[in-house]
Amino acid sequence: MAVVKINAVKVPDHAHAEFERRFGNRAGTIDTSPGFRGFEMLRPVAGDDRYFIVTRWDDDESYEAWRDSTARAAHKGEQGKPVFSEANVLEFEVVLDVKPKQ
């Protein structure tokens, strides 16, 4: 069963562009991880002030292997001041996945 991990990241208004630039620069560091299915970066527009980084995995073991690997360390990206003030991981199992008919 596929799993979804959502990193909910609070970014101050003045740092949105820098956060998106840094994340975009390192987006390719995860795509060869075993069990990785993809991700989306969602920018807040109404109702919440957090970015959501949504990743999809084959299973918890695949996510945990990436989380505990040196690949994740590389994914953290540039050194220096963080551009976010808070981050939390939300975890889900996919129970329904509807796709458009072809």
Side-chain angles (χ1 to χ4, degrees):
M1 175 181 302
V3 296
V4 173
K5 308 296 181 179
I6 301 173
N7 198 353
V9 184
K10 196 170 264 238
V11 180
D13 290 341
H14 71 275
H16 284 200
E18 179 67 9
F19 178 75
E20 291 177 21
R21 183 192 67 76
R22 286 187 188 185
F23 203 91
N25 285 347
R26 64 183 188 257
T29 63
I30 194 173
D31 58 352
T32 58
S33 298
F36 176 71
R37 292 188 176 191
F39 82 89
E40 296 172 320
M41 178 183 206
L42 308 176
R43 178 190 301 134
V45 294
D48 204 314
D49 62 352
R50 297 173 294 173
Y51 278 79
F52 289 114
I53 311 304
V54 180
T55 60
R56 293 174 308 282
W57 299 88
D58 286 343
D59 47 43
D60 280 323
E61 293 77 17
S62 296
Y63 168 75
E64 291 163 3
W66 171 78
R67 181 194 65 202
D68 299 338
S69 73
T70 56
R72 180 175 184 235
H75 188 69
K76 289 183 178 180
E78 303 171 23
Q79 298 297 319
K81 281 183 111 174
V83 294
F84 61 90
S85 60
E86 181 181 326
N88 298 296
V89 176
L90 311 172
E91 302 184 56
F92 302 89
E93 289 182 340
V94 177
V95 294
L96 184 62
D97 186 7
V98 178
K99 299 203 180 351
K101 292 183 181 181
Q102 302 266 343

